[in-house]
Amino acid sequence: MSFASDLRISFRLLLKQPALTLIAVVALTLGIGLTTVMFSIIHGAFWRGLPFEESERIAAVGSIDTSNADNNVGDWRQYDVEQWARTQQSFDDFGAFYQGTVNVSDGNGNAERFDGVFATAGVLAVPGTPPSLGRLLQPTDEAPGAPTVVLLGHGVWKNRYQADPNIVGREIRVNGKLSTVIGVMPEGFQFPTAAALWVPLTLSTDPQARTTATTVTPVGRLAPNVTFAEATAEFEVLASRLATEFPETNGSTTAAVLPFIDRFLGPEVLTMLLTMLGAVFGVLLIACANVANLLIARTAVRTKEIAIRSALGASRGQVIRQLLSESAVLAFAGALGGLAVAWAGISIFNRAIVDTDPPFWIDIGLHPPVLLFVTALALVSTLAAGLLPALQASRADINVVLKDETRGASGLRVGRLSRTLVVVEIAVSCGLLVASGLAIKSITTLKNADRGFASASVFTARLGLFEADYPTPEARARFFADVQTRLDTIPGTEGATLATNLPATGANMPAIVIDGVTYASEKDHPRSQATDVSPGFFRTFDRQLLSGRDFRDTDSMDAPGVAIVNESFARKFFENADPVGRRIRLSQSEPDAWMTIVGLAPDIHLGRLENKDQAGFYQPLAQNPPRFASVAVRAIGAPMELAPAVRREI
């Protein structure tokens, strides 16, 4: 009898017991479906790779501070990367970039803000993707004094310029500068990050400006036959030279060449996803154990039937094949149901991440490798659910079974196996329950954590000033002072402020000097979180100072430097003593550029929520007027109802 005949018989037998069949298929559907969803996410985010030829050779160079136990991967200073670009041997194509805000206007007041990338020409050479119109950035575009140009993404070209085929050569204003459009990239191209357009980056060659220029991420395509380990070894040598030349800033910094995706998603994300994949695979194992128990019970009832088949000449292999075919029918029916569950789960997940700006390469769907994975799961489920019952049934003594007229006796012979499967189910279930309980507790703790500030009724926005329109700090300071005055007069508000960084979104980490403390060298200067804010910051986030005063309009550029520190800062650097009246300064500032502490604030998460050390301080925005700032307005009613008024005043 062929395997096809076994399948036909299996279908008929299973249809005679619809309740058992339905329970088994539903259990396998959920197990296979959930496992497929997690595999699809990992495959789409990590294993599928970048959508370019030989994408496995595309890498990024990260900096690692060996004095930091966390070994977080960071960026590099422009001067450092500019030196490497002329000496490195590991990459065929090599460049650097940073992501930033790009404002586009056409002289008619219709300005629009995009996430752009400031990149050297080498960055766009890495993926090897030609533009759909015009040309890519060239090294001549990044030369000092070169005409300003811009490369558009497909979305900007289509939505803002109605897919104008004659866009190349047109002049538009980019960040306040008249720039010539040199090309348009194909649809879906966003390398190296979620880029809507690309602007040339001129790397700083001034060693004196190493600490002030925006840091960059070096990326490249490894040369043939160069491994990641070999590339890392070369850049470790290059980094050690910088450490020798600039011990204050690079003394404990080394380099690591990482696969591009690993650099931007990180091993922690992959570890978390693999853990979740293991958890849902545990659910599949429980489903298989349940189905195995159902088949054991069913096989016990059919013991005499199986014995008669053996007596009529069926070999043990044929018996096992027949019973496995029944398990296979259930498993592949579960696989089809699992595909439906996976399709629904993937659709829900994709909709959920749309507003989170996921990396451009993430493509989560039922791709061929995912379908192969589902097929493998079906085969595994077939063996996991059907092999033990088949082996047990085929091992029965024909003579004993045929002489036995009671069904109970044959059922008792599989009792030990059934009990073992139940124990396995309970053990796996307990493990999953403990893990899920801990996860739920962590999520609940994070959700209910005291962030130190009110957020539910706060409207936020981001704005940028460009050198062409606001070339001096004084001009920026006047603009922000005017904005603050206008925001304070909007009806329906309880407070308004401007800040370089909003709470819990990240903060600068400058090295500082505490007046009266002696340091062996500059590298021993401690670091602290810092942000610049306008008067009204604490009122906007519904917090009051613990002592001292808030910033005032008189804390201007010409006034003496002042600062407000938080409780963690006072505890860390002043042993909980009242810090008001003490002085601090930035390590890179002039020796007499002291800031007098005028206030003590409660802890508000300046940096990321996961940061354990919350020590930080505030400076007046007017004394350090930035080019980019965030707006925060606390509303009496619904925050988004303030959007038209805030936009109008800005």
Side-chain angles (χ1 to χ4, degrees):
M1 184 181 293
S2 65
F3 185 65
S5 299
D6 289 336
L7 290 177
R8 286 195 298 270
I9 295 172
S10 298
F11 272 112
R12 288 201 301 268
L13 292 173
L14 290 171
L15 289 175
K16 290 180 179 179
Q17 295 180 300
L20 179 146
T21 302
L22 180 62
I23 293 172
V25 170
V26 169
L28 292 173
T29 291
L30 293 176
I32 292 175
L34 294 175
T35 307
T36 303
V37 170
M38 284 309 308
F39 179 84
S40 300
I41 293 172
I42 298 174
H43 174 263
F46 285 93
W47 296 335
R48 184 171 177 269
L50 299 173
F52 310 121
E53 291 186 6
E54 298 183 323
S55 64
E56 68 279 1
R57 291 171 50 207
I58 298 177
V61 184
S63 67
I64 298 177
D65 185 354
T66 57
S67 65
N68 187 339
D70 293 334
N71 279 339
N72 293 328
V73 179
D75 291 333
W76 290 93
R77 294 178 173 84
Q78 292 189 24
Y79 175 86
D80 302 346
V81 179
E82 196 277 334
Q83 301 297 304
W84 293 347
R86 293 183 281 106
T87 58
Q88 65 85 25
Q89 301 293 321
S90 296
F91 294 97
D92 281 343
D93 299 304
F94 184 77
F97 75 94
Y98 69 88
Q99 188 173 23
T101 297
V102 177
N103 276 12
V104 176
S105 63
D106 303 301
N108 55 7
N110 183 22
E112 196 170 358
R113 173 187 167 190
F114 297 99
D115 289 329
V117 165
F118 297 79
T120 64
V123 170
L124 290 176
V126 169
T129 303
S132 54
L133 291 176
R135 66 172 177 85
L136 296 174
L137 297 176
Q138 301 294 334
T140 53
D141 296 325
E142 61 197 60
T148 53
V149 298
V150 61
L151 180 64
L152 302 182
H154 184 272
V156 177
W157 174 61
K158 179 181 178 181
N159 299 324
R160 185 175 178 87
Y161 299 105
Q162 293 74 50
D164 180 5
N166 300 313
I167 189 69
V168 175
R170 179 173 170 177
E171 290 188 330
I172 61 177
R173 295 191 72 82
V174 177
N175 287 355
K177 296 181 180 179
L178 203 59
S179 305
T180 302
V181 177
I182 60 171
V184 177
M185 294 306 292
E187 184 174 6
F189 182 89
Q190 294 181 304
F191 186 84
T193 58
L197 42 77
W198 296 261
V199 179
L201 169 64
T202 302
L203 293 176
S204 172
T205 58
D206 181 8
Q208 302 302 319
R210 293 179 68 256
T211 58
T212 57
T214 304
T215 57
V216 294
T217 302
V219 296
R221 181 181 285 272
L222 289 175
N225 301 322
V226 174
T227 65
F228 280 91
E230 292 169 343
T232 295
E234 180 190 9
F235 277 85
E236 284 177 344
V237 172
L238 296 175
S240 67
R241 294 174 184 171
L242 288 171
T244 301
E245 187 176 0
F246 305 102
E248 296 83 5
T249 57
N250 290 59
S252 60
T253 304
T254 187
V257 178
L258 306 169
F260 185 88
I261 292 178
D262 290 357
R263 168 64 181 87
F264 291 98
L265 288 185
E268 295 85 2
V269 176
L270 180 59
T271 300
M272 179 189 69
L273 292 176
L274 289 174
T275 300
M276 294 176 67
L277 178 61
V280 293
F281 190 75
V283 174
L284 177 59
L285 290 179
I286 293 172
C288 290
N290 274 316
V291 175
N293 253 328
L294 289 173
L295 294 179
I296 287 172
R298 183 170 178 270
T299 303
V301 175
R302 298 171 57 198
T303 304
K304 185 164 290 188
E305 170 202 331
I306 295 170
I308 292 173
R309 288 189 183 189
S310 300
L312 292 176
S315 66
R316 186 183 184 192
Q318 289 174 319
V319 171
I320 292 174
R321 190 181 68 188
Q322 172 59 46
L323 295 175
L324 280 179
S325 67
E326 297 176 21
S327 174
V329 170
L330 294 174
F332 279 89
L336 291 176
L339 282 175
V341 170
W343 177 84
I346 290 170
S347 299
I348 294 172
F349 184 83
N350 283 331
R351 285 196 297 270
I353 66 172
V354 162
D355 295 330
T356 64
D357 293 328
F360 71 92
W361 66 83
I362 290 184
D363 182 10
I364 300 169
L366 296 177
H367 300 295
V370 178
L371 297 179
L372 289 175
F373 178 76
V374 173
T375 303
L377 285 182
L379 293 174
V380 170
S381 300
T382 298
L383 295 175
L387 187 59
L388 286 177
L391 291 174
Q392 184 72 17
S394 66
R395 200 168 53 191
D397 188 320
I398 298 175
N399 294 322
V400 173
V401 172
L402 291 178
K403 291 178 181 178
D404 186 1
E405 294 296 331
T406 65
R407 292 185 176 181
S410 56
L412 291 174
R413 284 193 288 270
V414 294
R416 180 178 298 176
L417 177 58
S418 181
R419 288 193 297 270
T420 301
L421 287 174
V422 170
V423 170
V424 171
E425 286 184 64
I426 293 174
V428 176
S429 298
C430 288
L432 291 177
L433 283 173
V434 170
S436 60
L438 292 173
I440 291 171
K441 181 180 178 181
S442 299
I443 293 171
T444 302
T445 301
L446 181 62
K447 183 177 180 180
N448 297 328
D450 181 11
R451 295 169 175 81
F453 62 94
S455 61
S457 59
V458 179
F459 167 88
T460 66
R462 186 79 171 165
L463 58 87
L465 306 180
F466 304 104
E467 291 187 45
D469 300 316
Y470 300 89
T472 64
E474 290 78 9
R476 296 194 293 273
R478 287 193 296 271
F479 174 85
F480 288 130
D482 188 21
V483 168
Q484 180 73 56
T485 300
R486 290 170 176 267
L487 294 177
D488 287 336
T489 61
I490 295 177
T493 64
E494 292 184 308
T497 191
L498 295 158
T500 50
N501 299 97
L502 294 175
T505 63
N508 297 324
M509 287 288 293
I512 60 172
V513 176
I514 307 295
D515 190 18
V517 178
T518 303
Y519 304 95
S521 65
E522 284 190 19
K523 68 178 182 180
D524 295 316
H525 292 171
R527 292 187 176 273
S528 175
Q529 297 178 109
T531 191
D532 303 327
V533 302
S534 69
F537 177 85
F538 299 101
R539 181 179 71 254
T540 301
F541 291 103
D542 197 23
R543 290 295 181 266
Q544 294 181 345
L545 294 181
L546 302 176
S547 64
R549 67 168 177 88
D550 199 348
F551 294 138
R552 303 166 179 163
D553 293 337
T554 54
D555 294 321
S556 61
M557 295 183 64
D558 299 328
V562 293
I564 295 174
V565 302
N566 63 16
E567 290 179 282
S568 293
F569 189 99
R571 187 163 48 249
K572 181 176 181 179
F573 296 108
F574 300 115
E575 298 181 350
N576 277 334
D578 188 356
V580 175
R582 299 290 297 270
R583 298 194 305 174
I584 61 174
R585 68 173 176 85
L586 301 180
S587 176
Q588 299 299 320
S589 65
E590 296 296 327
D592 59 348
W594 293 103
M595 297 178 287
T596 301
I597 298 173
V598 297
L600 174 64
D603 281 346
I604 295 177
H605 281 271
L606 293 180
R608 301 291 182 182
L609 290 176
E610 62 268 22
N611 289 358
K612 295 180 180 179
D613 185 1
Q614 287 298 320
F617 64 95
Y618 305 86
Q619 296 174 264
L621 192 81
Q623 293 188 343
N624 303 278
R627 288 181 53 202
F628 295 89
S630 292
V631 175
V633 184
R634 186 151 63 98
I636 296 175
M640 291 309 296
E641 292 180 357
L642 296 177
V646 173
R647 183 181 296 275
R648 181 176 62 251
E649 296 300 337
I650 297 294

